[in-house]
Amino acid sequence: MANSMARSFLQVAATEEVASPLRVVQIEGLVILKIIKHCKEFSPALVTGQLLGLDVGSVLEVTNCFPFPIREEDEEIEADGANYQLEMMRCLREVNVDNNTVGWYQSTILGSYQTVELIETFMNYQENIRRCVCIIYDPSRSNQGVLALKALKLSDSFMELYRANSFTGEKLREKNLSWVDIFEEIPIKVANSALISAFMTELESDTPVTQCDYDRLQLSTTPYMERNMEFLIECMDDLSMEQQKFQFYYRSLSRQQAQQQAWLQKRRSENMARKAVGEEPLPEEDPSNPIFKPIPEPSRLESFLITNQIANYCNQINGVAGQSFNRLYLMKSLHDK
């Protein structure tokens, strides 16, 4: 009886574990300040760091983080970076701080983070962590008056295809996967302890605002828009090159099909002649013939990532343009008055 109850409890626990999708990433305010400080100090260089916390039901709690040292592409330095990570987590464990890895954070420039390297990092984390997220922070976007902070994870259907390394048109249609289904953005919730909230409340009454932030009213957005347009044009060129690969593939496929049809017609005419003289017909399929060798279809992963990046640049340009119009209308109203 006890064994059956234990088995049923384990079955229920396993079922709940599988059935609870990630809904919210809850980040403490101090962690967000650490991420922003680290990314802005080294901007425009790209930096990364470790996220620590707890996985509780459908909420991923991020309670601490620490930066990774900036390293170059060298095996010995990479090994030093791994040792640094383990040593940091050991020290945090000794002082009774959450040391469970729940993902990582990284900075980006103008939202250009959708790369194969990001996907490979996700897959490496997924081998050891059931659920993990990547916090993306964009200092250049934040300078426009927006907190450019987002939490991303890979979709389950995309991870299945990536493990199988099959991004053909047939597999994508079978999974009903499009370029917008690669990443899933998880809502971020900022949470602070009651002690910190009470302390901030006391600070607000003692420190009145003595100066205004006029940077938000800056009318010139030319440098930001220009760089977005430059990156967008580069992505369009890359997408055009990817499309040329598929055009070449389809031309080769149609050429091969025409050669196969011509060979089949020739073989059928030969078989008709052989039947007329009472000989055995030859097989109509010849795997050793080069024209029957299948042509591998190019992977659509790069084109999906580039399309995602183009959509991201377009959204950023649209958002900045909308803010610029609002500022212009505001300044026009102030000027008229």
Side-chain angles (χ1 to χ4, degrees):
M1 182 67 178
N3 291 335
S4 62
M5 291 179 62
R7 284 196 298 269
S8 62
F9 175 77
L10 292 175
Q11 290 174 358
V12 171
T15 304
E16 290 180 354
E17 184 178 3
V18 173
S20 58
L22 183 59
R23 300 294 185 187
V24 178
V25 177
Q26 181 176 299
I27 309 179
E28 292 192 2
L30 181 60
V31 177
I32 294 180
L33 293 178
K34 285 182 179 180
I35 293 174
I36 293 175
K37 181 177 181 294
H38 184 210
C39 295
K40 282 192 172 182
E41 281 182 350
F42 292 91
S43 180
L46 301 181
V47 295
T48 60
Q50 191 79 51
L51 297 177
L52 306 174
L54 298 171
D55 186 359
V56 183
S58 61
V59 180
L60 195 67
E61 299 180 3
V62 181
T63 58
N64 201 357
C65 69
F66 62 86
F68 288 155
I70 297 179
R71 51 184 170 81
E72 299 177 356
E73 295 296 331
D74 186 80
E75 292 183 357
E76 296 182 358
I77 299 180
E78 287 185 2
D80 293 340
N83 295 332
Y84 167 81
Q85 179 181 352
L86 295 175
E87 183 65 20
M88 281 291 298
M89 296 177 69
R90 185 187 65 80
C91 294
L92 292 173
R93 184 172 60 253
E94 289 180 354
V95 296
N96 199 23
V97 176
D98 290 338
N99 57 85
N100 299 318
T101 301
V102 294
W104 80 100
Y105 71 86
Q106 68 179 50
S107 61
T108 184
I109 298 177
L110 299 177
S112 55
Y113 58 85
Q114 302 187 25
T115 59
V116 178
E117 289 76 14
L118 178 63
I119 295 175
E120 292 177 350
T121 306
F122 260 117
M123 300 304 296
N124 292 332
Y125 270 84
Q126 288 287 342
E127 291 180 358
N128 302 315
I129 305 174
R130 185 173 62 92
R131 292 192 303 192
C132 68
V133 295
C134 177
I135 304 296
I136 305 290
Y137 179 72
D138 191 347
S140 59
R141 184 76 177 94
S142 297
N143 292 335
Q144 305 298 320
V146 178
L147 180 59
L149 194 74
K150 59 176 62 177
L152 300 176
K153 67 179 290 291
L154 292 179
S155 64
D156 296 336
S157 56
F158 176 80
M159 284 193 293
E160 291 179 6
L161 286 180
Y162 191 84
R163 291 191 182 99
N165 194 19
S166 178
F167 288 97
T168 61
E170 181 181 355
K171 290 293 184 180
L172 293 172
R173 287 189 296 270
E174 179 182 336
K175 293 289 185 181
N176 195 21
L177 186 73
S178 64
W179 57 271
V180 296
D181 300 323
I182 297 178
F183 296 100
E184 293 181 6
E185 185 172 352
I186 311 299
I188 294 178
K189 178 183 178 183
V190 181
N192 291 311
S193 64
L195 185 61
I196 293 178
S197 300
F199 178 69
M200 294 300 295
T201 304
E202 291 182 357
L203 288 179
E204 289 179 359
S205 59
D206 297 335
T207 56
V209 177
T210 57
Q211 61 182 3
C212 297
D213 183 10
Y214 293 106
D215 293 339
R216 296 176 183 270
L217 297 178
Q218 185 178 1
L219 300 180
S220 176
T221 57
T222 303
Y224 184 82
M225 295 287 285
E226 284 182 353
R227 296 197 65 186
N228 266 288
M229 291 300 298
E230 290 175 0
F231 287 173
L232 180 60
I233 292 172
E234 291 178 2
C235 282
M236 293 300 296
D237 292 338
D238 294 339
L239 184 61
S240 177
M241 294 178 63
E242 289 294 322
Q243 290 177 345
Q244 290 177 7
K245 293 180 182 178
F246 285 100
Q247 291 174 359
F248 177 77
Y249 164 73
Y250 286 119
R251 285 198 299 267
S252 302
L253 188 62
S254 61
R255 190 183 307 114
Q256 184 189 52
Q257 291 175 351
Q259 292 175 354
Q260 290 175 357
Q261 291 297 326
W263 187 88
L264 286 173
Q265 291 178 1
K266 181 180 178 182
R267 176 55 61 90
R268 286 168 183 168
S269 61
E270 290 178 0
N271 287 336
M272 292 177 63
R274 293 174 68 89
K275 287 180 180 180
V277 296
E279 296 180 358
E280 289 291 332
L282 298 174
E284 294 187 357
E285 294 183 1
D286 186 6
S288 62
N289 196 325
I291 63 174
F292 287 98
K293 185 179 180 180
I295 301 176
E297 182 179 348
S299 174
R300 299 177 185 265
L301 178 59
E302 284 291 343
S303 60
F304 273 25
L305 290 174
I306 295 172
T307 307
N308 251 320
Q309 199 63 62
I310 290 174
N312 191 24
Y313 289 142
C314 291
N315 291 333
Q316 289 183 161
I317 293 172
N318 187 27
V320 173
Q323 293 176 2
S324 300
F325 278 117
N326 291 336
R327 293 177 189 145
L328 289 174
Y329 282 124
L330 174 61
M331 298 306 295
K332 181 177 183 300
S333 300
L334 293 175
H335 180 74
D336 294 339
K337 293 182 180 180

